[in-house]
Amino acid sequence: MKLLRFGEPGKERPGLLDSQQQIRDLSSVVDDINGDSLSAESLAKIAAFDIESLPVVSNAQRFGPCVGSVGKFICIGLNYVDHCEETGAPVPTEPVVFTKATSAITGPDDGIIKPRGSEKLDWEVEMGIVIGREAKYVSEADAEDYIAGYCVVHDVSERGFQLERSGQWDLGKGCDTFGPIGPYLVTRDAVKDPLNLNIWLTVNGKTYQNSNTKNMVFGPAQLVSFLSQYMSLQPGDIISTGTPPGVGLGQKPPVYLNVGDKVELGIEGLGEQSQKILPSP
């Protein structure tokens, strides 16, 4: 299934994309697409429902973030072998972990605000893992059972804030609008192999990132298991799994985003995003 949230910011309603690519309103089935509705039992209830009986959302609607009320937004750095080569960093022997503020989360086509003082605004297309049940000290063999599904994440970064300020990455990762997610949460059963999906990003029509998730250092099961040894993962938490090569920082010379630029990105089977860079208010 492709689950989604539609409507104005803060007023999103739960939906589902049917086989004719129409949005169906799920409000009569679940209150929202969030941690409470992502258990195996809840997803089975949605799947068993007569989708054709649900109302079609006929008017054009904004896609909201595909998961509501996200508790933790966890990111993995340097998780593609070729991205490590691009940045000159060694391939990690265990996942590089940082967090992104949940206030950064926006819809997949909402604008990205260039923060005040930003000179090195960068892009990173990533696959997101959405947790479906509490995971604590989970084995790698069992880890997939804790995954509700997958989505597209844009891990927007301000490299000056990230690398030239406090010594922590968070300042350059958590700015408002730096975390578009969606358009869909694609349930685990509908993703045949999350480690064999084409992943891409363009800026103003020029392709910068073009890779495949098979190039990840640590796959979804490894990441869920690893993180669960240090923190409990809750339903609705998102793990952003790292980006392939082609980021602006890695260009020679570096290329950064400016107001008016258009970024488009997507992952095979998980959907596409499109954002325009906006000035800071």
Side-chain angles (χ1 to χ4, degrees):
M1 294 184 293
K2 291 183 177 178
L3 303 177
L4 55 91
R5 300 170 72 246
F6 64 93
E8 295 303 309
K11 299 179 180 179
E12 292 91 350
R13 297 166 66 182
L16 178 150
L17 197 71
D18 69 16
S19 58
Q20 287 78 46
Q21 308 303 301
Q22 301 176 112
I23 297 175
R24 298 277 182 166
D25 192 333
L26 276 176
S27 298
S28 63
V29 185
V30 294
D31 293 333
D32 199 358
I33 305 300
N34 58 17
D36 292 338
S37 60
L38 295 178
S39 67
E41 294 77 15
S42 181
L43 293 178
K45 174 185 174 182
I46 296 171
F49 205 84
D50 179 12
I51 301 303
E52 297 299 319
S53 70
L54 296 173
V56 174
V57 181
S58 56
N59 55 320
Q61 290 279 348
R62 164 188 174 267
F63 283 98
C66 60
V67 182
S69 304
V70 175
K72 290 193 287 297
F73 196 172
I74 306 166
C75 298
I76 307 299
L78 302 171
N79 198 34
Y80 281 73
V81 174
D82 37 8
H83 180 49
C84 294
E85 295 171 351
E86 170 186 51
T87 60
V91 176
T93 56
E94 68 176 29
V96 175
V97 180
F98 62 95
T99 59
K100 204 171 180 82
T102 55
S103 55
I105 293 174
T106 62
D109 301 322
D110 294 342
I112 295 169
I113 296 172
K114 186 176 183 181
R116 296 179 185 179
S118 169
E119 297 180 352
K120 298 179 180 180
L121 187 63
D122 205 348
W123 56 83
E124 295 187 25
V125 58
E126 306 194 3
M127 181 178 76
I129 300 167
V130 182
I131 299 299
R133 54 185 281 214
E134 184 179 33
K136 191 170 184 178
Y137 297 115
V138 172
S139 71
E140 190 175 322
D142 294 334
E144 287 191 2
D145 293 339
Y146 294 80
I147 297 173
Y150 301 91
C151 66
V152 180
V153 175
H154 190 179
D155 177 17
V156 184
S157 307
E158 212 303 328
R159 302 302 188 189
F161 297 178
Q162 175 191 357
L163 302 173
E164 300 167 15
R165 294 288 178 89
S166 67
Q168 300 289 330
W169 286 8
D170 295 27
L171 292 182
K173 294 288 189 174
C175 301
D176 290 352
T177 73
F178 273 25
I181 61 172
Y184 322 116
L185 185 168
V186 183
T187 54
R188 178 165 52 92
D189 61 296
V191 181
K192 183 177 180 181
D193 184 359
L195 283 175
N196 189 20
L197 302 176
N198 293 323
I199 180 170
W200 58 271
L201 180 145
T202 69
V203 179
N204 298 328
K206 179 179 178 179
T207 298
Y208 281 94
Q209 294 187 277
N210 188 17
S211 188
N212 189 286
T213 56
K214 67 184 178 184
N215 294 317
M216 282 187 186
V217 181
F218 305 103
Q222 291 171 292
L223 293 174
V224 171
S225 175
F226 177 82
L227 290 169
S228 76
Q229 310 305 309
Y230 300 94
M231 65 188 81
S232 61
L233 301 174
Q234 306 298 324
D237 286 352
I238 294 175
I239 304 168
S240 197
T241 59
T243 198
V247 298
L249 178 66
Q251 307 303 308
K252 301 189 184 305
V255 176
Y256 296 116
L257 295 167
N258 291 300
V259 172
D261 287 344
K262 184 177 183 180
V263 184
E264 296 174 287
L265 56 148
I267 301 176
E268 180 183 358
L270 303 186
E272 301 180 359
Q273 300 184 359
S274 177
Q275 296 121 19
K276 187 174 181 180
I277 310 303
L278 306 176
S280 176

